Amino acid sequence: NAGVTQTPKFRILKIGQSMTLQCAQDMNHNYMYWYRQDPGMGLKLIYYSVGAGITDKGEVPNGYNVSRSTTEDFPLRLELAAPSQTSVYFCASSPGEKLFFGSGTQLSVL
Amino acid sequence: AQKVTQAQTEISVVEKEDVTLDCVYETRDTTYYLFWYKQPPSGELVFLIRRNSFDEQNEISGRYSWNFQKSTSSFNFTITASQVVDSAVYFCALFSGGGADGLTFGKGTHLIIQP
């Protein structure tokens, strides 16, 4: 019962580098989300998707891109990483109102 | 617009004390869901409870209880006889407006249970 799987768990990037955070779910959920959590703050929505081929911006989308080519996968792309993107990233999926979260990716941009 | 306010940034109590975490929400929707999540030091998000807007009954689960009051737009969480293992950050969250854009989270309350 894998649920929502995020990789990698930890990553250190240099300023200006790019990377993709992977997220996969095996529950056949239509809805998927990317959140970021900064110290002392709640989670803020970066991007979300209501189904394959459909994505939309959340509260803090700048500096990120997403794609949803399949129901299962929802990768988050960071282009030209900046120190402000140092955060913990959570992916989630949902069949409706209850979200199932991955275990998070801790990203540092130095 | 949706908003969740957790005014208590940090609470510290001694083990076995009771503690209440406050949550106040704002939404214009009549149908919505409220959630509490626990984030232990290991970092994962653990689902605790979901309550829909039409069910104002209080709920008790072991040492945990929740008080939902629509009149004051509050959904407070009480831990009875706290234990060190309860130490964590607790988030209140709101799902409304059709919810395709997911949950709106409060900033969280850091609960410290001292032995």
Side-chain angles (χ1 to χ4, degrees), chain A residues 31-33 35 37 40-45 48-50 88 90 94 96-103, chain B residues 9 33 35 37 39 42-45 47 50 89 91 95 98-108:
Chain A
Y31 300 101
M32 295 190 74
Y33 309 88
Y35 288 88
Q37 181 183 20
M41 304 294 288
L43 279 71
K44 293 188 176 181
L45 184 66
Y48 66 96
S49 169
V50 301
V88 179
F90 286 97
S94 170
E97 76 283 354
K98 181 180 175 182
L99 271 63
F100 296 78
F101 285 89
S103 57
Chain B
T9 303
Y33 295 82
F35 295 79
Y37 283 86
Q39 187 176 44
S42 53
E44 74 272 25
L45 287 160
F47 168 81
R50 170 183 57 197
V89 180
F91 291 99
F95 181 99
D101 54 350
L103 294 171
T104 298
F105 283 84
K107 292 185 179 181

